[in-house]
Amino acid sequence: MLTRRRNKTAILCFIMAAAVLIGQAIISVSTAEAELANTTSSTGELQALIDQAHPGERIRVPSGVYEGSLILSKKITLEAETEGSVSIVNANPNTRSVIHIAADDVEISGIQIINESPSKIPSLLITGDRTVVENMNIQTASQGIVLEDANDGQFRSNIIQWSDSAAGRAVKLFDKGNGIDLYNSHRNIIRDNTIQRVHDGIYMENSDDNRLTFNVIEHSRYGIHSMYSKGAVIQNNQGNFNYTGAMIMASREVELTGNVFRKQSENVNSQGILIFQVQDSLFKDNKVIGNRVGLYLEQSENNRMENNEIADNFIGIQLLGARDNLITGNTLSGNVAETLAQDSANNSLDRNYWDSFQGIDTDGDGISNIAYAINPFFQGLIKKRPAFQLFFQSPSMVFLEGLYQADQNTWTTDEEPLMVPLTSDQTSGQKASSTASGLIGAALLILTLSILQWARRRE
């Protein structure tokens, strides 16, 4: 009997000891998981998860801070379990990107990239086709997103900002990296992104048929910069407080429409839209307001500038060595100087509104019967003597311009300037006014005929 009791006691002690050990193990595992969730995880853990995934698999990354650098070398979807709860920091800032997408058909979303060390290495490098990057928050002290030989991708609703605090020092604008940089990358869609305090907001070189829409770019050098590219559609973007809103250089067949560029005046060479060595392109329905130069056109040909609002700039339109361009239906108002033009005699200026021009409309069709000619005196003078820019619009300079009348047949001239701005609202108003006038005229005619008929009957 005593032996049985001892055996029962021993078994009970064993069970209790086992329970204690199991409980400690559970507590240890829970503590480890809690610590993993609250500390930086190593590159290997997340990279191993990516490497073990099958092509086409979706990986949902738990909340936490992870070390890069990551390489995505197969078709997968990588997303934060909860948007904005996953951060990946750069472990190799001078050698590798935080994330390198090296495969086709990769999707990544909802993740924050923190790249704090200044370098030339991209924060997010893409060398695969058909990449989708959305809802990312990239705080960078180098390049933001770089595409190299990457085509047919989509980049939507991302935030890209230069991190001055992360860099630990103030960095000059010209030493910063670009927000989104495309090289030899075609047919990409870049939409609804916010880009701030970088070198160039969106830079395209040797990259054709890309579509840039509804992006907001602020406090950077050039908002949108296109070089040696063709077929870009740049539509409904905003640029504020940059050196230049859109710089289109050595490009062809560009459509730049419906954009708003305000307060590009941070530099003595600032422009709302700069067009240099551009051919066969359309610039339409843009608002260029409060810049140093609104629309600058140099050594460019066969382009169309139509229905743009160019207002409150220091210089409205500046032409230099531009030919065979059509400039029509634009509204220029509130500019210190409406236009400067030199060596640009072969352009067609047609039916623009110039608020500083006092025209004469003898037939009531809304078009002046006298032409508006752009005096080239000042621009020719500052080309030879740049220091004379100090006398811009001074009384003495205005007086000298008035005396200069040489070679008027070579001056850039709007042969039919508008008497009132041709905006959509005003156009509707003009149509309504014309309709009303017609009805009133018809009523008066009927009344007159009725009176005459009544008078004849009386006789």
Side-chain angles (χ1 to χ4, degrees):
M1 182 71 99
L2 182 60
T3 303
R4 289 179 180 176
R5 288 179 180 175
R6 287 176 178 173
N7 289 339
K8 288 181 179 179
T9 302
I11 292 170
L12 183 60
C13 290
F14 176 78
I15 292 171
M16 292 177 63
V20 170
L21 291 172
I22 292 170
Q24 288 177 343
I26 292 172
I27 292 171
S28 298
V29 171
S30 299
T31 303
E33 289 179 348
E35 289 176 354
L36 180 62
N38 291 294
T39 58
T40 302
S41 301
S42 68
T43 306
E45 294 175 0
L46 188 51
Q47 185 67 62
L49 192 64
I50 293 167
D51 293 341
Q52 291 166 10
H54 298 292
E57 189 172 333
R58 180 183 298 272
I59 300 173
R60 302 193 70 196
V61 183
S63 300
V65 180
Y66 298 83
E67 289 184 350
S69 304
L70 302 176
I71 300 178
L72 282 59
S73 56
K74 67 183 74 171
K75 176 186 175 181
I76 60 171
T77 297
L78 187 70
E79 64 181 22
E81 197 171 58
T82 302
E83 184 177 321
S85 67
V86 174
S87 297
I88 302 178
V89 300
N90 201 350
N92 301 286
N94 296 314
T95 57
R96 293 171 61 181
S97 298
V98 180
I99 301 176
H100 178 189
I101 298 177
D104 297 340
D105 302 300
V106 172
E107 298 185 18
I108 182 170
S109 66
I111 293 173
Q112 182 178 38
I113 292 177
I114 301 175
N115 192 13
E116 298 184 343
S117 299
S119 72
K120 299 298 182 182
I121 307 298
S123 299
L124 175 56
L125 174 63
I126 298 169
T127 55
D129 293 339
R130 297 178 298 280
T131 301
V132 176
V133 176
E134 61 181 347
N135 298 319
M136 301 283 285
N137 188 330
I138 300 176
Q139 303 294 318
T140 183
S142 62
Q143 303 266 44
I145 300 174
V146 173
L147 285 72
E148 295 181 355
D149 302 300
N151 308 308
D152 303 300
Q154 297 186 46
F155 303 84
R156 305 185 296 253
S157 303
N158 302 291
I159 297 173
I160 304 171
Q161 296 174 320
W162 180 266
S163 179
D164 287 316
S165 59
R169 61 185 178 89
V171 178
K172 294 181 180 179
L173 186 59
F174 288 89
D175 293 329
K176 295 181 178 181
N178 297 327
I180 301 177
D181 187 297
L182 295 84
Y183 180 78
N184 199 34
S185 298
H186 315 298
R187 301 178 303 279
N188 294 283
I189 296 173
I190 302 173
R191 179 185 175 92
D192 290 311
N193 301 284
T194 299
I195 304 173
Q196 297 175 324
R197 304 190 308 276
V198 297
H199 189 241
D200 291 349
I202 302 173
Y203 176 78
M204 299 180 290
E205 184 176 347
N206 293 322
S207 298
D208 300 336
D209 302 312
N210 293 291
R211 189 175 187 91
L212 284 57
T213 59
F214 297 101
N215 302 286
V216 177
I217 306 168
E218 298 176 322
H219 299 288
S220 300
R221 188 184 69 149
Y222 306 147
I224 297 169
H225 190 183
S226 174
M227 293 280 292
Y228 311 112
S229 302
K230 71 174 183 179
V233 175
I234 303 170
Q235 189 174 61
N236 296 326
N237 302 281
Q238 290 187 38
N240 304 311
F241 302 102
N242 305 297
Y243 281 10
T244 294
M247 178 170 283
I248 313 301
M249 304 178 69
S251 298
R252 304 176 62 88
E253 301 170 22
V254 175
E255 291 185 19
L256 193 144
T257 61
N259 303 280
V260 178
F261 298 113
R262 297 180 186 271
K263 301 295 183 181
Q264 267 61 222
S265 56
E266 301 294 298
N267 186 274
V268 294
N269 296 313
S270 289
Q271 299 92 6
I273 300 173
L274 184 146
I275 305 164
F276 179 76
Q277 293 183 350
V278 174
Q279 297 82 35
D280 308 315
S281 296
L282 174 66
F283 302 86
K284 183 178 179 181
D285 297 328
N286 301 288
K287 295 182 182 294
V288 190
I289 300 171
N291 308 285
R292 194 191 71 86
V293 178
L295 179 64
Y296 180 90
L297 187 64
E298 182 177 355
Q299 297 181 31
S300 299
E301 58 189 21
N302 298 323
N303 301 292
R304 184 180 182 98
M305 272 64 68
E306 180 179 356
N307 199 37
N308 300 288
E309 181 182 347
I310 304 170
D312 302 326
N313 304 284
F314 192 58
I315 299 171
I317 296 178
Q318 187 169 359
L319 306 176
L320 182 61
R323 60 188 181 89
D324 300 322
N325 300 286
L326 174 61
I327 302 173
T328 182
N330 301 285
T331 297
L332 290 95
S333 62
N335 303 290
V336 176
E338 298 289 12
T339 52
L340 293 177
Q342 185 182 21
D343 301 328
S344 301
N346 295 322
N347 299 289
S348 175
L349 272 69
D350 178 51
R351 301 192 179 188
N352 302 282
Y353 173 74
W354 318 83
D355 73 341
S356 63
F357 173 66
Q358 301 297 318
I360 299 174
D361 181 10
T362 59
D363 51 11
D365 63 355
I367 300 171
S368 174
N369 297 107
I370 58 175
Y372 172 66
I374 302 171
N375 192 319
F377 173 77
F378 181 74
Q379 188 142 316
L381 179 64
I382 63 173
K383 184 177 180 180
K384 297 177 181 178
R385 298 287 187 272
F388 278 89
Q389 293 182 76
L390 295 171
F391 299 100
F392 179 69
Q393 291 294 95
S394 67
S396 58
M397 190 61 65
V398 172
F399 175 74
L400 291 173
E401 277 188 329
L403 295 178
Y404 181 80
Q405 300 296 320
D407 302 318
Q408 291 192 40
N409 60 319
T410 65
W411 292 13
T412 300
T413 303
D414 189 337
E415 298 293 345
E416 295 186 328
L418 298 176
M419 298 296 293
V420 295
L422 188 61
T423 63
S424 57
D425 292 341
Q426 287 166 325
T427 302
S428 301
Q430 287 174 0
K431 289 180 179 178
S433 177
S434 298
T435 302
S437 298
L439 292 173
I440 293 171
L444 289 173
L445 178 61
I446 293 170
L447 179 61
T448 302
L449 291 175
S450 298
I451 293 172
L452 290 173
Q453 185 68 22
W454 178 77
R456 287 175 182 174
R457 286 176 182 177
R458 296 236 345 159
E459 292 174 357

